[in-house]
Amino acid sequence: MTTGVEVMTEDGAGLPFAEVIGDPIAHSKSPLIHRFWLGATGVAGDYRKTHVTAEGLAAYFADRRDDPHWRGCNVTVPHKLAVLDHVEDRGDLKRTIGAANTVLRAEDGALIATNTDAGGFYAPIADLDLAGKPVTVIGAGGAARAILFALTRMAVGAVTVINRDPLKAAALLSTFGLKGRALPLGAAIPSSALLVNASTLGMTGQPALDVDLSRLDDDAVVYDAVYAPLETPLLAQARALGLDTVDGLEMLVAQAAIAFELLFGEASPRDRDDELRALLTA
């Protein structure tokens, strides 16, 4: 579309609504998650997905700014950095995480950015003791920024960031004050207690993530933020090696739970996670 904005699921007429925006967006499971929670909590509202290109981002927010039913949106690739140029940054995200994945309408009508990715990433591994242990992160985009921010709060050891552009990876390490090194994509995965794929590699429609996990610690955890497909080659390789894994749905649901309460003012019913996961994997 010439505007760069295409609604892919309609909101309920007259209902308060939120949505997820990105490019691509057809794969998004966020509407399933939020609609499940809306039904479970009895909150009147709807949640949809809208295809927004980089060129259409400004027009999208200009349109939503005047819609009284719009509660806000979740933001996925490739807009997590660019979104900060179109809304208010009252939480100083540019200086800290450097990316946003949620935009809310404040009580004064302003559109403000926040980030639920860091908390969503941390939730599935909150019980892990990573203090002083080496970690490897693949990717240097918006998701990687939130993950590196979370790692700074976990007292991890050296962090290796692998990215197509190792200079960008090195800059991120410096930004977050993390000790470690930057390596180019394709470099050997070093010994690590945690490996996180924070890139889009391995996602449906994207190039595969070709890595060898044999040098990981025997008790390492492999965490893939990709959730489409749910069983990525990275996770399949990790399981074949007997390693513990965290799939993309766990992070997606955890960050969505934070966003749901911000968008709709009601806590999500996490006691029904098994039922939700069955719906998402059907």
Side-chain angles (χ1 to χ4, degrees):
M1 298 178 64
T2 56
T3 62
V5 179
E6 178 186 5
V7 177
M8 303 189 72
T9 52
E10 293 294 338
D11 61 299
L15 287 175
F17 74 96
E19 59 197 331
V20 60
I21 65 170
D23 180 23
I25 200 61
H27 68 283
S28 178
K29 294 183 181 294
S30 292
L32 283 174
I33 296 171
H34 288 270
R35 285 177 172 177
F36 175 83
W37 287 336
L38 286 167
T41 58
V43 172
D46 194 28
Y47 190 99
R48 68 195 195 189
K49 55 189 172 185
T50 299
H51 180 215
V52 179
T53 66
E55 295 77 13
L57 200 57
Y60 166 80
F61 284 113
D63 178 68
R64 291 297 186 265
R65 193 178 302 274
D66 297 325
D67 189 333
H69 300 299
W70 186 78
R71 291 290 186 86
C73 67
N74 293 118
V75 181
T76 189
V77 291
H79 304 316
K80 291 186 178 185
L81 280 67
V83 69
L84 289 169
D85 294 328
H86 299 280
V87 299
E88 292 190 27
D89 181 20
R90 295 182 181 179
D92 203 14
L93 291 175
K94 281 188 178 181
R95 186 183 62 82
T96 55
I97 297 178
N101 79 323
T102 305
V103 175
L104 309 168
R105 188 191 300 280
E107 290 184 1
D108 61 4
L111 306 189
I112 60 173
T114 188
N115 194 306
T116 67
D117 274 339
F121 162 74
Y122 174 73
I125 58 172
D127 293 336
L128 288 184
D129 179 11
L130 293 172
K133 296 180 180 179
V135 174
T136 296
V137 176
I138 300 172
R145 284 177 171 271
I147 288 166
L148 291 171
F149 176 81
L151 292 175
T152 65
R153 278 28 182 194
M154 299 172 70
V156 299
V159 177
T160 300
V161 179
I162 298 176
N163 190 55
R164 289 187 182 91
D165 182 355
L167 291 178
K168 182 178 180 181
L172 283 188
L173 287 172
S174 176
T175 295
F176 291 102
L178 291 165
K179 294 181 179 180
R181 56 180 175 162
L183 298 175
L185 197 63
I189 301 293
S191 175
S192 306
L194 173 68
L195 169 72
V196 185
N197 176 30
S199 75
T200 59
L201 294 174
M203 181 187 292
T204 301
Q206 299 295 319
L209 175 59
D210 183 16
V211 296
D212 179 3
L213 304 180
S214 61
R215 296 179 62 185
L216 292 181
D217 299 353
D218 291 340
D219 58 351
V221 175
V222 175
Y223 192 142
D224 199 338
V226 169
Y227 62 84
L230 182 58
E231 177 71 0
T232 63
L234 177 69
L235 294 181
Q237 182 186 170
R239 293 188 180 112
L241 292 170
L243 301 175
D244 289 335
T245 61
V246 178
D247 63 44
L249 274 190
E250 294 193 52
M251 178 174 173
L252 178 68
V253 171
Q255 67 81 24
I258 302 170
F260 182 82
E261 187 164 0
L262 293 171
L263 292 166
F264 294 105
E266 184 82 21
S268 61
R270 297 302 303 274
D271 58 326
R272 296 181 63 176
D273 275 6
D274 288 346
E275 186 180 347
L276 174 59
R277 189 175 181 89
L279 173 67
L280 294 171
T281 57

